Amino acid sequence: QLQASGGGLVQIGGSLRLSCAASGSIVRIMRINNMGWYRQAPGKQRELVASITTFGSTNYADSVKGRFTISRDNAKNTVYLQMNSLKPDDTAVYYCKIWTSLNDYWGQGTLVTVSS
């Protein structure tokens, strides 16, 4: 399974680091596939925030470029999302995802709330 953690309440301009840890049979799948973080704000569609390939190449939504950093540690079976300079618009439930050629695997969400 994929276990996301690290969400919480943070003030504007603050930082959080989200983690998504794989366990069981998902570990092997995680290590050989690309991964990403999505978010879904209330009343909005889920959107891709950041992605990372098995080689470490990254891509970001324009809204988070320069503020968020995605990384992965295959030795720890974990993908991270470092979020800095947080804004109220970053408030959402954040989900991690593994893409494969056959299936997509989702972690449960972790809530990030940015308040003033």
Side-chain angles (χ1 to χ4, degrees), residues 39-105:
R39 68 185 179 187
Q40 187 166 18
K44 295 187 177 181
Q45 289 188 331
R46 193 171 296 189
E47 64 173 350
L48 178 62
V49 174
S51 62
I52 186 166
T53 70
T54 55
F55 300 105
S57 296
T58 58
N59 198 22
Y60 299 92
D62 287 343
S63 58
V64 306
K65 279 181 181 177
R67 300 188 298 121
F68 290 12
T69 303
I70 188 172
S71 61
R72 64 191 298 165
D73 186 340
N74 282 349
K76 295 183 178 180
N77 308 318
T78 302
V79 64
Y80 303 98
L81 186 67
Q82 177 67 43
M83 307 185 295
N84 299 327
S85 302
L86 283 162
K87 306 174 181 180
D89 284 350
D90 296 319
T91 294
V93 178
Y94 285 71
Y95 301 87
C96 56
K97 176 182 175 180
I98 303 172
W99 289 281
T100 77
S101 59
L102 295 177
N103 295 304
D104 295 336
Y105 297 84

